[in-house]
Every structure is written in structure tokens, then in C-alpha cells.
Amino acid sequence: MAGQNPKQPSTQYHHHVAALAFPFGTHAGPLLSLVLRLAAAKPDTIFSFITTSKANSSLFSQTSKASAFLNVKAYDVPDGLPEGFVPSGHPEQLIGFFLKAAPANFRIVMKEAEAGSGLKIGCLVTDAFFWFAGDMAEEMKLPWVPLWTAGSRSLLVHAATDLIRQRVLGTGGNAVKTLEFLPGFSKLEVADLPEGVVLGNLESPISSLLHKMGQELPKATAVAINSFEEAEPDVVNELKSRFKKFLNVGPFNLASASPPLLEDDSGCLEWLDKHKPASVVYISFGSVVSPPPHELAAFAEALAESGFPFIWSFRGNPDEILPNGCDKSSLNGKIVSWAPQVQILEHAAVGVFVTHCGWNSILESIVGGVPMICRPFFGDQNLNMKTVEAVWGIGVGIEGGVLTKQGAVKALELILRGEAGNEMREKIKVLRSLARSAVEDNGSSSKAFNSLVNIVTKHEEV
């Protein structure tokens, strides 16, 4: 993928920024979104976007927005897998190999990018997972700007892991159940924390990575995040006190100059036009994990019994999952293999979003003004759910933590027919308004983004 865009004369550019992307899950997309915004703001700067060929291929397709930017070039970094490697199907194994080889591999590719552009790299913008980039930036005497692609609450948990372990594990394990010693956490409990902080395997590769990241981020020139300050002011203020600079530059789905309108091949938006306001259920569990088949079947039964109209973005073959005797045509909705989520959530007919509680999905739901029913799986998703439910009051967790027919019907009725649903809609309108204000010209996210542009393109030895 290197040299995918035609080489430009080096005189056209005055700065060179290397962006190092984590190629797993949904990490690389948000980093590329940020790079494209920076590239639009600074056309005299060249951005070398470095990740695996697999990730680059999907991000830099011919139809992608990225292909229009002459000052953004994709470079491939090896995936670190040994020759003849046969994957076990466990993603942590692939991540482990990639990370072990990443520092040396990134250094080699950055040299190629410098040779290709004729300009020395002046700044490292990386996924926050790459805690080792701090050492690289120090060696190269460059600013380091990590991007945290999730929410500020989960970031504070990883930045404060040592304190949390001291308070929770240092007192016999069960003595402290709430987290009120952290600003903004009075409504959360130890059980809400991501696995690997105080519960589960504290030495797993991901747990170790996040712990090390939390310890290293304070030396970054600035930490950027896909969020807006007004969403969680207490948490943001605490992070500002821990980092040299903490820049909320989102929500990316609002802040991008012109988010691309995605094709609606299944006619979802036209179908929504025929429905009453706040009456339709939208279901999507993201692109990484799905609930097990018995939960999906239970949810299909809940939809059939309640009769609510729905759009279900379904990965796999629905015929293998739907309960016996449940004919798709008897359901009052659309089951599609892919849906334009942002546009669907902004449609007035959508009344509730059934989600895994990934951070991008939560931001899209806030911007759309749609309350959530949450079925989290791993990582920060449980913490996000408790934020949605207990802190913001804009959604509910599924009863018992797993999808059952009875629990799903209860949650759907609560939000689509109950007064509680109207209250959630009012609360989410306030958050949506704050998000929109943040990205306006004098808004907090716009000011933070201007500060980020200055850091990234003004190279002074650090």
C-alpha cells in the first residue's frame, strides 16, 4: 500500500506527521478520521498513516473519503506473525504477536515514509494502546499525541489502575465496593470495572497493555479523545490534572467536516419514513462480537410478541437463529446484513437502540437523540452501560445481563411505551445539544482541535 497516492514534490509540504494505528477491532477507523480532519486543516502537512495491509485495504478503498486526500499516504507495517503461523481463532494471540514486533517494525516503516516524502517526521500521533510510542518519541525528540478511541470514564480507570487496586485489593478485596474515591464515579461499583483492572486475570496481555498505557500516558505531549468535555465534566477535570494536555476533540461523527453519506442498499431510511416518531427499534451489536444464538432467538421472540417495528443489522444467517416457527415475514421489521447506522439513529422514527455499548455507538446514539437498551460483552462496554444507565439516565441494561424474551419485552415496553422512555429522550436531548455546541466554532471541542493542530504541526524538540 506504500506510495498508493502519487508522490508529491517535497516542497509542497512543510511538516510530516506519522500516525500509527492499532489494526484490531474498531481502533484504526477513528484514528484515520482524526488524521483526515488534521489533513484538511493543514494541507501543507503530509500524514503517513501506518498500520497492517489488511487494515489499510479496508480503510483506503477506492470509494473511501481517505482516497481523496493527497497529503495522507498509507504505509503497511508487518503483522508480526511467524512464518507458517496458523491462527487459533483467539484475537489476543494475534494482538500479542503484533505488539511484540511493533516497535521495531514501525521504526523501519517510518524510515520508508521519510524517504518517500523527503521530510523528517515531526510528530507521532498514535493509538493510545501503543504505550511504547512514548519511548520512540523521546528517542526521536518528537511530540507524542496518543488518541484514546473510547470514553473518558474508561480512560480514567486505566490511568488510575494502581490507585484502584490499592483501594480495592489492598483492603481485603471486598471492603470497598463503590468507586466514589474517583471523581464522577459515585454511582459506579467495583463490579462495573472492565475485566483485568481488579477482577479476572490482571496479567493477561490486554490487561498488562492497558495498565502500562495508563502509567505512560502522563508523559504524552497531549492525549486526544473522541468525546466532548461537557459529557463528563468531573472525569474530564480529573484527567486534565493527570495529563499535560487532555483534548476532547469529538464526537467525530459530528466534528468531521462532511461525513460521507453511506449507501442505503436495503432501503432502511425509506422504510423508516413510513413509521411514527420514536416507534422503531434499531438493533446492532457492532462488528466484533455477537450475542450467542439462544440470546438472539430470545430477542427475536420478544420482537414477535411485542409487535414493535424494527430494523436489525444482523451478521450471519438469521434463518439459523430465529426460533422454530418464527417466519421472518411474520415479524414487523427489516433484517439486513448492513445498515447506515448514523443516518438511522438520526431518523425521527427510531425510538430505541439495542446496542453492545461500544463507545462509537453510544456517541452516535447521543447525536441521534435515541435512548439505549444495553447488552455489553467485554472491555469498556459494561462501564459504558452503567454510565448510560446510572449516570446519564439515557438507557437501561438488559435485566440479568443477558437477552431473554421476558427481559427484552420489559425493556422495549419501558422505553417505547413508558413515561421513563420520554424522560430518557429529554435527557439525551440535553446531551445531544451539548455535543452539537462543543463542535461549533467557539465550542470546547473545536478549541481543543485547534490546539491539537498546533501541537501536531509545530515541531520543536521536546
Side-chain angles (χ1 to χ4, degrees):
M1 177 86 38
Q4 166 218 328
N5 289 322
K7 188 178 173 187
Q8 303 293 310
S10 58
T11 50
Q12 183 180 338
Y13 301 118
H14 301 115
H15 306 282
H16 185 183
V17 175
L20 315 184
F22 184 74
F24 301 95
T26 52
H27 278 246
L31 183 63
L32 181 59
S33 290
L34 182 62
V35 164
L36 296 183
R37 284 172 62 198
L38 290 166
K42 295 295 283 187
D44 68 339
T45 300
I46 193 160
F47 293 84
S48 294
F49 189 86
I50 308 172
T51 191
T52 58
S53 60
K54 186 179 177 186
N56 271 332
S57 300
S58 90
L59 292 168
F60 287 84
S61 64
Q62 292 306 308
T63 55
S64 78
K65 191 178 170 189
S67 59
F69 282 79
L70 290 176
N71 60 331
V72 178
K73 304 190 185 210
Y75 286 86
D76 296 341
V77 72
D79 56 20
L81 297 180
E83 211 169 315
F85 173 77
V86 179
S88 65
H90 204 290
E92 278 211 23
Q93 194 182 22
L94 302 179
I95 292 169
F97 279 120
F98 175 80
L99 289 172
K100 192 174 178 186
N105 285 338
F106 275 128
R107 280 185 177 92
I108 291 165
V109 179
M110 283 194 286
K111 289 286 181 200
E112 289 172 21
E114 287 182 334
S117 67
L119 277 174
K120 282 277 188 195
I121 289 165
C123 179
L124 294 187
V125 177
T126 77
D127 191 292
F129 273 19
F130 295 155
W131 57 265
F132 54 81
D135 295 334
M136 292 165 68
E138 216 170 293
E139 284 168 30
M140 298 165 77
K141 295 187 167 52
L142 302 178
W144 172 41
V145 181
L147 170 69
W148 178 247
T149 58
S152 50
R153 191 171 297 272
S154 59
L155 181 57
L156 179 53
V157 163
H158 298 305
T161 291
D162 288 327
L163 171 67
I164 295 169
R165 288 178 180 174
Q166 182 192 338
R167 297 294 287 269
V168 176
L169 301 177
T171 50
N174 296 321
V176 176
K177 284 202 169 69
T178 67
L179 297 166
E180 55 200 349
F181 57 88
L182 286 177
F185 275 70
S186 60
K187 294 180 179 175
L188 285 93
E189 300 182 353
V190 171
D192 301 324
L193 291 169
E195 190 175 344
V197 177
V198 290
L199 308 166
N201 181 1
L202 308 193
E203 304 302 324
S204 74
I206 291 293
S207 174
S208 300
L209 179 153
L210 289 166
H211 184 208
K212 184 71 173 163
M213 176 199 78
Q215 293 173 322
E216 293 292 312
L217 286 179
K219 73 182 189 187
T221 312
V223 177
I225 187 171
N226 177 14
S227 189
F228 55 107
E229 289 194 6
E230 295 78 6
E232 299 175 284
D234 292 347
V235 178
V236 166
N237 286 336
E238 175 64 15
L239 287 164
K240 282 185 174 181
S241 76
R242 286 170 174 266
F243 302 147
K244 290 177 187 172
K245 263 189 188 300
F246 182 51
L247 302 173
N248 283 255
V249 291
F252 287 3
N253 51 315
L254 273 181
S256 298
S258 53
L261 286 176
L262 301 165
E263 292 298 318
D264 181 22
D265 296 331
S266 304
C268 294
L269 301 173
E270 189 183 346
W271 185 86
L272 285 170
D273 288 341
K274 298 169 185 164
H275 289 83
K276 293 176 185 170
S279 66
V280 175
V281 184
Y282 173 59
I283 308 122
S284 173
F285 298 106
S287 58
V288 179
V289 178
S290 261
H294 69 275
E295 288 193 49
L296 295 171
F299 194 75
E301 287 175 352
L303 289 169
E305 179 171 303
S306 63
F308 290 118
F310 67 88
I311 291 176
W312 193 338
S313 179
F314 195 102
R315 284 182 293 122
N317 180 0
D319 295 326
E320 294 172 3
I321 300 298
L322 295 178
N324 291 336
C326 180
D327 175 16
K328 267 197 294 186
S329 61
S330 72
L331 292 168
N332 181 20
K334 284 175 78 70
I335 298 177
V336 297
S337 60
W338 184 87
Q341 180 161 300
V342 171
Q343 286 131 285
I344 285 173
L345 289 170
E346 290 181 350
H347 197 288
V350 177
V352 65
F353 178 20
V354 183
T355 172
H356 62 306
C357 262
W359 185 246
N360 290 333
S361 291
I362 287 175
L363 286 178
E364 287 162 6
S365 215
I366 287 172
V367 170
V370 178
M372 288 160 264
I373 294 172
C374 308
R375 171 32 176 124
F377 298 101
F378 67 93
D380 62 336
Q381 294 167 7
N382 197 53
L383 190 66
N384 292 343
M385 176 193 75
K386 289 306 287 258
T387 304
V388 162
E389 185 178 46
V391 180
W392 291 331
I394 57 172
V396 292
I398 200 77
E399 201 172 63
V402 294
L403 292 165
T404 61
K405 177 183 167 186
Q406 186 183 359
V409 169
K410 186 176 172 185
L412 290 167
E413 295 272 354
L414 177 82
I415 293 181
L416 291 172
R417 292 207 176 112
E419 184 52 40
N422 293 329
E423 288 171 12
M424 288 178 201
R425 264 178 276 284
E426 289 307 308
K427 286 178 179 174
I428 208 167
K429 272 183 195 167
V430 174
L431 268 179
R432 177 175 64 177
S433 174
L434 291 171
R436 291 190 184 282
S437 297
V439 299
E440 284 172 4
D441 284 349
N442 279 320
S444 58
S445 290
S446 291
K447 287 177 179 171
F449 179 72
N450 292 338
S451 177
L452 180 65
V453 170
N454 290 336
I455 291 165
V456 163
T457 58
K458 182 183 175 186
H459 173 37
E460 292 174 357
E461 287 205 350
V462 293

